[in-house]
Amino acid sequence: MGGWFPRIYDLVMKPLELTRFKQVRTELVRSARGNVLEIGSGTGVNFPFYRHAEKVTAVEPNPLMTKRAVKRMKNTSVPVELYETTAESLPFADNTFDTVIATLVFCTIPDPAKALAEIRRVSKPGAEILFFEHVQMKQPVLRKAQDFLNPLWKRVCDGCNLNRNTLLLIQQSGIEVKSIESFYATLFLSINSVNTKR
Ligand SMILES: C[S@@+](CC[C@H](N)C(=O)[O-])C[C@H]1O[C@@H](n2cnc3c(N)ncnc32)[C@H](O)[C@@H]1O
């Protein structure tokens, strides 16, 4: 993982965070309840938005990100515990979490199918699984532009894929999608879904 990316992440994201993203994070993160798992928490940008969680367990593999996240843990109204690990290998028992949340993460996870299988395993039957992700766009011309830009984008943005079809991956994982909201044409999706395992 690149060393400079975590250092500039909050700065680069600031224009988006101050406008639309703030609204999306407020609504999505606020709806997380009970025992919550956050995937790829990065610099901990979601931490101050939790209101109804009993406890948040966050996983993030990049130590330069967790270093920044630790500072944000001081500004939370709910207890947050941080694990330096990947979503593909979660160190938690089956059926542990009431809610799982992932924001702007599934573009970067090297094996998203494995991570989704782990989310299904560690969350309870009926658990809410909340995503806010940038994805492969619906419009053919924009989709082609994403494919064209992806090799450079991926190198510059620490492994982030601009053209990943995360919605399809979620649907293929067996997680049941309940509602989808689009932002910036179809570039960003807020996806509410449920773990329908028995
Ligand atoms: C674009 S950042 C998003 C951070 C934060 N969730 C947010 O909303 O701003 C993507 C994060 O995914 C993390 N990540 C990369 N590979 C991962 C993996 N295999 N499992 C979990 N997180 C991963 C990166 O280290 C990075 O912090």
Side-chain angles (χ1 to χ4, degrees):
M1 298 218 177
W4 61 271
F5 187 75
R7 288 191 181 93
I8 62 157
Y9 183 75
D10 284 337
L11 190 68
V12 170
M13 294 295 284
K14 205 162 191 171
L16 285 167
E17 294 294 348
L18 290 175
T19 53
R20 205 63 193 268
F21 280 22
K22 187 172 181 182
Q23 182 202 338
V24 175
R25 288 188 196 277
T26 303
E27 282 172 23
L28 199 74
V29 179
R30 184 175 288 185
S31 70
R33 288 172 194 276
N35 193 12
V36 176
L37 172 65
E38 182 173 336
I39 303 291
S41 50
T43 60
V45 65
N46 287 330
F47 294 170
F49 294 95
Y50 285 104
R51 288 290 174 277
H52 306 297
E54 280 159 29
K55 182 188 166 188
V56 177
T57 302
V59 297
E60 166 54 53
N62 186 333
L64 294 172
M65 288 289 199
T66 57
K67 199 173 147 195
R68 283 162 175 78
V70 165
K71 289 182 192 152
R72 282 219 170 90
M73 283 162 73
K74 292 170 191 142
N75 293 326
T76 56
S77 53
V78 301
V80 179
E81 203 174 350
L82 193 52
Y83 287 73
E84 228 168 72
T85 189
T86 68
E88 293 96 328
S89 174
L90 295 171
F92 311 116
D94 298 0
N95 306 329
T96 301
F97 297 99
D98 300 295
T99 309
V100 181
I101 184 157
T103 61
L104 310 177
V105 172
F106 270 86
C107 48
T108 305
I109 291 176
D111 189 342
K114 198 167 179 195
L116 288 164
E118 277 291 84
I119 287 173
R120 283 195 82 205
R121 179 183 69 76
V122 301
S123 60
K124 295 175 184 172
E128 273 212 295
I129 308 176
L130 309 170
F131 301 91
F132 175 54
E133 298 288 346
H134 69 78
V135 297
Q136 183 186 63
M137 297 178 82
K138 273 190 183 159
Q139 297 84 346
V141 174
L142 296 173
R143 192 187 281 202
K144 279 210 172 84
Q146 286 181 306
D147 290 341
F148 177 75
L149 288 171
N150 196 55
L152 178 64
W153 181 271
K154 195 172 175 180
R155 206 168 324 143
V156 173
C157 297
D158 214 16
C160 168
N161 289 279
L162 196 51
N163 59 352
R164 190 172 272 177
N165 194 339
T166 298
L167 178 60
L168 182 65
L169 289 166
I170 293 168
Q171 287 163 334
Q172 287 172 343
S173 75
I175 291 169
E176 190 179 317
V177 172
K178 291 286 183 191
S179 65
I180 303 169
E181 201 178 341
S182 308
F183 305 90
Y184 299 103
T186 54
L187 180 58
F188 291 91
L189 299 182
S190 178
I191 303 166
N192 282 49
S193 61
V194 172
N195 189 349
T196 48
K197 76 177 181 187
R198 289 169 196 273

